[in-house]
Amino acid sequence: MTAEENWYANDAATFGDRLAGAREQTGLTQGELAERLGVKLAVLEAWEQDLKEPRANRLQMLAGMLNISLSWLLTGQGEGPEGPPDEEPLDSDINLLLTEMRGLRGEIAQTGERLAQLEKRLRKALKQR
């Protein structure tokens, strides 16, 4: 499989990248897909930005609505949309930087979640005083 055939390669793309690409390939806006799924626009945006992940039932719905395999959506392996034919593969140094940036973005999101949980616990503890 060439890089052009696997434009959302597992080592370069995140779940959010694949979701956004498949949505765009079907011609749906974020608002349209969110409405069809029965979720708020902010929820879909968070999925595409890799800030949150959908539950299993929503994953199945996404795969069906976007005409892609669940496996491709989760891992980049399997039946997914065809990539743009003119796109050149990225240099390995750029891929490494992108991968590291995405990893940091995920870590920041997790840290934000943890901070919110700690703040909630603190507020609860202060109310019990």
Side-chain angles (χ1 to χ4, degrees):
M1 182 180 303
T2 68
E4 290 172 351
E5 291 171 336
N6 195 13
W7 64 304
Y8 283 113
N10 191 26
D11 62 342
T14 65
F15 167 82
D17 294 334
R18 288 187 293 276
L19 174 57
R23 176 187 53 75
E24 290 169 1
Q25 187 97 16
T26 61
L28 293 171
T29 65
Q30 286 179 324
E32 291 168 337
L33 183 56
E35 186 176 329
R36 288 185 184 186
L37 285 167
V39 299
K40 293 180 180 177
L41 176 60
V43 170
L44 182 67
E45 289 172 341
W47 293 346
E48 288 190 1
Q49 295 171 10
D50 295 306
L51 299 175
K52 295 188 179 208
E53 294 180 357
R55 294 184 179 161
N57 63 330
R58 296 282 191 228
L59 285 169
Q60 199 68 4
M61 290 172 68
L62 281 166
M65 288 179 181
L66 300 174
N67 198 29
I68 54 175
S69 72
L70 183 57
S71 174
W72 182 84
L73 186 58
L74 293 171
T75 67
Q77 303 297 314
E79 293 295 317
E82 292 185 26
D86 298 329
E87 193 171 300
E88 292 184 28
L90 295 175
D91 186 32
S92 63
D93 290 341
I94 293 172
N95 270 335
L96 288 173
L97 288 171
L98 286 172
T99 301
E100 187 173 350
M101 288 173 64
R102 287 182 178 121
L104 285 172
R105 185 171 58 180
E107 289 175 27
I108 290 169
Q110 288 175 343
T111 302
E113 291 263 336
R114 185 164 178 240
L115 182 59
Q117 291 171 354
L118 289 171
E119 182 180 0
K120 188 175 180 179
R121 286 176 46 202
L122 176 61
R123 288 178 191 268
K124 186 177 178 180
L126 289 172
K127 284 183 181 179
Q128 292 176 350
R129 291 180 103 204

